[in-house]
């Protein structure tokens, strides 16, 4: 054996052994940390769908490609990682066996071609990533950068490491091919490596042998160093993203909230167990899937860039929330794992700490155990960014999550929709809200009124049930009210139960929508019925505010009643009612076919049962824009029917706002924000109204009573400031009705 071979084998083995020990220790920690979470329910069903997600989301990079430029760069890096995996095996083999190639396929020209192609594409990818990072430098762009608060230093190191992987690969491979060519062996297909070999060939055999050995050692050193950086940084996502996607909440993490579980068992709200955990009050109350989410975040900031709260100056960034939860739960994990071991796998009870275990922990872990999960960061550094500064440094004092950040979320779903690794932000935030409301009784004071009103009056406004039918007295056609003729179940001739909703019954603007929908259904000859005083709040605002007890009370009452009267097809005007009745009530035994009025009306227009004839002003063109409600669009995937309705009106031209469809911007009312004061930053509804006005349209059409209130308020405030003269907010149904009735 020659000296060079000995050096290569000894040094190569030493590098591999050291890296393997460090990597295995870290993998053992990560495994223990993730498994220390509470049981997660329903994460292994629908294997076919999960396999499909691996194909579309991981292999085809569907979500990443929503952003064309960074998405394409990521495709290069991801597929390069897979293809160049062959060369990693070859480099490890080369430590022990000279001129080692991957068995069978290693020297196929097509494989050699692909490897060289991806060396170039990965290089192009990292150049694009570098440019994107320079253009979005948080030190210059501040909050406008999606990398604000991300660990940018680590990201640059990883780009450098990828570059090192590429040049060391080409160094050893070029030398290897140059040496082989001296013996007349050629490698067709390796177009780039052959070119490098041609540059190195004049150096002569001795130098080439040294270069090959150095190249191999450098290459495996870089790769194993890269592996360790990955394991200790946000680049963990390279290994965890496919796993996180495989266990994601189907179909897409949006729509219904998850039922509440304690220790993996559903909570019986009529008779909860004494030791039941309500929501998340400590990091160890999160499930293993939640832990996996935190560890998987890539810090890409796509969620942050779309968040209405972050974009209007609130302390909430979904990315920073996830980073905070990761940092805190990683720091606390040694104690949690040891305490569970000492307590037969269970966490110490709520509010309890296993002092004997804690005593043995280092000071940093003790500090982590003492930090409250949620609380006020008033007066603390970086208050407006949940504790982070632009360089990605977190202030470690005080609560993990600023309560102002937690309560700023509108549950709009923009973060979940954007996240390329399927992190379920809303579920985590609602779980923390649940604990805050049901255990800690610490929540924005304004919610007290809403909770009391829903509980005592059956609607968030505190109106009397007798007022639910007031709108019927204002219309000049008959509306059938369930029970008025002694019905005990919905009569067979009634096609739809019209769920009016609290806003639709009590709020003036929403009442107009209710009346318009009822009239349009009457014109189209649809038999429908309303529940009148039999209706009560679905519980949606209480649930989004974390008051699951109240939601369960409302939901059970409604489901019992709807099942008793044998309701089947329900039409609603409110996307929140649609989401709750259609997608959350199945969790408590209510299964109905629920449609939004825009869907039903669009069908009636298509069937010719409604015929819009009047243009808004005879002979005039009217430009209208449309605001997608979060709970109709992102949460329930209804984008086309509202647009079809607008375009069905003669003389109306639809123009889109820059943020529309799945990337629509929230109105600010979801997540029970409708009942909270907006004290921080600028107003979400004003931002959205400005976008609508900027289209040059004369009207913005809305399809949700909350959006209607929010945008009307914003437009009024603009008009009071002397702006947006003549601009109007119209609901789809009223617009269609105006076009469908003969002009007088
Ligand atoms: S749901 Fe909407 S408001 Fe809440 S964190 Fe996500 S993007 Fe922000
Ligand atoms: S949560 Fe998802 S979208 Fe947000 S920074 Fe992390 S990986 Fe990116």
């Amino acid at each position: 054996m020659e000296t060079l071979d000995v050096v290569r084998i000894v040094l190569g083995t030493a590098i591999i052994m050291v890296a393997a020990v460090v990597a295995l220790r870290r993998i053992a920690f990560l495994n223990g940390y993730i498994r220390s979470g509470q049981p997660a329910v329903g994460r292994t069903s629908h294997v076919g769908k999960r396999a499909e997600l691996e194909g579309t989301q991981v292999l085809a990079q569907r979500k990443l490609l929503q952003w064309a430029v960074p998405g394409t760069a990521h495709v290069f890096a991801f597929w390069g990682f897979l293809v160049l995996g062959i060369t990693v095996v070859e480099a490890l083999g080369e430590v022990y066996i000279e001129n080692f190639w991957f068995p069978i396929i290693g020297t196929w020209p097509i494989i050699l071609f692909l490897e060289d192609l991806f060396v170039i594409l990965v290089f192009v990818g990292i150049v694009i990533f570098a440019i994107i990072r320079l253009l979005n430098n948080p030190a210059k762009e501040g909050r406008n950068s999606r990398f604000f608060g991300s660990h940018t230093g680590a990201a640059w190191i990883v780009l450098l490491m990828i570059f090192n992987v590429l040049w060391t690969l080409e160094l050893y491979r070029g030398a290897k091919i140059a040496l082989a060519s001296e013996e007349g062996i050629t490698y067709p297909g390796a177009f780039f490596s052959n070119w490098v070999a041609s540059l190195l060939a004049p150096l002569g055999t001795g130098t080439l042998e040294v270069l090959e050995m150095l190249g191999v050692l450098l290459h495996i050193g870089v790769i194993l160093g890269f592996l360790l950086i990955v394991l200790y940084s946000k680049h963990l996502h390279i290994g965890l993203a496919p796993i996180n996607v495989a266990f994601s909440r189907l179909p897409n993490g949006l729509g219904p909230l998850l039922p509440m579980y304690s220790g993996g068992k559903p909570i019986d709200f009529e008779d909860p167990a004494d030791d039941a955990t309500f929501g998340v009050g400590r990091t160890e109350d999160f499930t293993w899937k939640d832990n996996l989410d935190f560890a998987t975040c890539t810090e890409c900031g796509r969620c942050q860039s779309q968040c209405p709260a972050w974009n209007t100056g609130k302390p909430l960034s979904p990315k920073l929330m996830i980073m905070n939860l990761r940092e805190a739960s990683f720091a606390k994990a040694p104690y949690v794992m040891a305490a569970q071991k000492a307590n037969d796998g269970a966490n110490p009870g709520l509010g309890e700490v296993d002092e004997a275990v804690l005593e043995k922990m280092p000071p940093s872990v003790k500090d982590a155990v003492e930090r409250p999960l949620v609380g006020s960061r008033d007066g603390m550094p970086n208050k407006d960014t949940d504790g982070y500064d632009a360089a990605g440094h977190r202030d470690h004092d005080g609560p993990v999550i600023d309560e102002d950040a937690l309560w700023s979320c509108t549950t709009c779903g923009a973060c979940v929709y954007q996240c390329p690794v399927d992190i379920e932000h809303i579920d985590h935030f609602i779980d923390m809200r649940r604990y805050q409301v049901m255990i800690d009784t610490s929540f924005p004071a304004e919610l007290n009124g809403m909770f009391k009103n829903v509980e005592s009056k059956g609607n968030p406004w505190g109106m009397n049930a007798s007022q639910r039918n007031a709108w019927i007295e204002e219309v000049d056609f008959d509306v059938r009210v369930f029970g008025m003729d002694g019905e005990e179940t919905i009569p067979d001739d009634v096609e739809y139960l019209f769920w009016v909703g609290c806003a639709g019954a009590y709020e003036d603007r929403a009442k107009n929508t209710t009346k318009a929908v009822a009239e349009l259904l009457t014109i189209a000859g649809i038999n429908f019925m309303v529940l009148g005083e039999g209706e009560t709040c679905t519980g949606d605002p209480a649930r989004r505010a974390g008051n699951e007890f109240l939601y369960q009370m409302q939901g059970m009452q409604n489901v019992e009643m709807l099942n008793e009267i044998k309701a089947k097809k329900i039409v609603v005007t409110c996307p929140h009612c649609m989401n709750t009745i259609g997608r959350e009530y199945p969790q408590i035994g209510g299964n109905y076919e629920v449609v939004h009025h825009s869907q039903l009306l669009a069908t009636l227009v298509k069937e010719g049962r409604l015929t819009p004839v009047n243009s808004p002003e005879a002979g005039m063109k009217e430009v209208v824009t449309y605001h997608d409600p979060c709970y109709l669009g992102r949460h329930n995937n209804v984008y086309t029917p509202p647009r079809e309705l607008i375009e069905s009106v003669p003389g109306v031209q639809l123009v889109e706002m820059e943020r529309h469809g799945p990337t629509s911007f929230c109105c600010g009312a979801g997540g029970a924000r409708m009942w909270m004061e907006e004290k921080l930053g600028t107003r979400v509804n004003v931002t959205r109204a400005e976008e609508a006005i900027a289209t040059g349209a004369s009207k913005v059409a809305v399809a949700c009573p909350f959006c209607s209130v929010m945008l009307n308020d914003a437009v009024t405030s603009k008009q009071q400031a002397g702006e947006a003269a003549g601009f109007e907010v119209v609901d789809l149904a009223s617009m269609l009705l105006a076009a469908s009735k003969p002009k007088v």
Side-chain angles (χ1 to χ4, degrees), residues 376-384 387 394-399:
S376 171
R377 286 189 58 81
D378 284 350
M380 298 188 72
N382 305 312
K383 152 78 185 165
D384 63 341
R394 170 70 158 98
D395 164 42
H396 295 276
D397 292 331

Side-chain angles (χ1 to χ4, degrees), residues 296-304 318-319 322 415 418-423 425:
T296 308
C297 176
T298 72
E299 302 180 16
C300 68
R302 289 177 182 229
C303 55
Q304 179 177 288
K319 175 187 76 179
I322 299 297
C415 49
Q418 284 294 334
C419 182
V421 294
D422 277 357
I423 285 168
H425 315 70

Side-chain angles (χ1 to χ4, degrees), residues 56-238:
T56 54
Q57 211 154 297
V58 179
L59 295 180
Q61 307 262 286
R62 183 183 60 82
K63 273 184 142 181
L64 279 151
L65 284 167
Q66 289 175 156
W67 293 23
V69 176
T72 305
H74 199 275
V75 168
F76 292 164
F78 171 78
W79 275 96
F81 183 78
L82 294 186
V83 171
L84 296 179
I86 298 172
T87 67
V88 174
V89 174
E90 287 172 352
L92 291 170
E94 190 84 26
V95 172
Y96 303 99
I97 304 166
E98 225 178 314
N99 199 28
F100 177 81
W101 293 92
F102 197 93
I104 306 173
I105 62 168
T107 52
W108 288 2
I110 181 70
I111 297 294
L112 292 170
F113 172 80
L114 284 175
E115 287 166 353
D116 276 10
L117 177 66
F118 273 99
V119 165
I120 292 168
L121 291 181
V122 172
F123 180 72
V124 172
I126 58 174
V127 170
I128 294 173
F129 282 138
I131 293 170
I132 289 172
R133 287 199 167 266
L134 289 171
L135 292 176
N136 287 282
N137 182 355
K140 287 195 188 133
E141 301 293 316
R143 286 176 69 110
N144 292 333
S145 165
R146 68 183 166 104
F147 300 119
F148 182 97
S150 299
H151 294 101
T152 47
W156 282 110
I157 290 173
V158 164
L159 290 184
L160 179 67
M161 290 305 279
I162 297 175
F163 176 66
N164 288 337
V165 169
L166 298 179
W167 75 258
T168 55
L169 169 66
E170 284 309 317
L171 175 66
Y172 103 76
R173 194 171 254 217
K176 182 175 170 176
I177 291 176
L179 284 167
S181 69
E182 289 178 358
E183 294 168 25
I185 304 169
T186 58
Y187 295 97
F191 65 97
F192 187 62
S193 302
N194 283 336
W195 176 72
V196 176
S198 71
L199 296 180
L200 298 178
L203 297 173
T205 310
T207 311
L208 286 174
E209 283 174 346
V210 173
L211 280 182
E212 189 198 7
M213 182 206 68
L214 270 178
V216 167
L217 291 178
L218 281 172
H219 191 55
I220 61 163
V222 166
I223 283 172
L224 295 173
F226 183 38
L227 171 71
L228 297 184
I229 290 173
V230 163
L231 286 172
Y232 280 88
S233 74
K234 63 131 185 159
H235 282 82
L236 259 181
H237 77 269
I238 292 174

Side-chain angles (χ1 to χ4, degrees), residues 682-697:
T682 54
R683 296 187 67 85
V684 176
N685 60 342
V686 172
T687 303
R688 188 54 168 166
E690 284 169 353
E691 286 182 17
I693 294 161
T695 60

Side-chain angles (χ1 to χ4, degrees), residues 482 488-490 497 499 531 534-536 538 554-570 581-582 585 589-592 594:
F482 181 82
E488 291 189 349
T489 58
I490 304 268
L497 175 67
W499 183 276
L531 288 168
E535 238 187 63
T536 182
T538 60
Q554 294 298 119
M556 300 295 265
Q557 185 183 337
N558 281 326
V559 167
E560 199 176 315
M561 177 269 296
L562 289 169
N563 286 350
E564 208 171 284
I565 66 172
K566 300 198 182 337
K568 288 188 185 70
K569 289 164 81 173
I570 300 174
I581 302 173
Y585 283 0
N591 293 286
Y592 321 103
V594 185

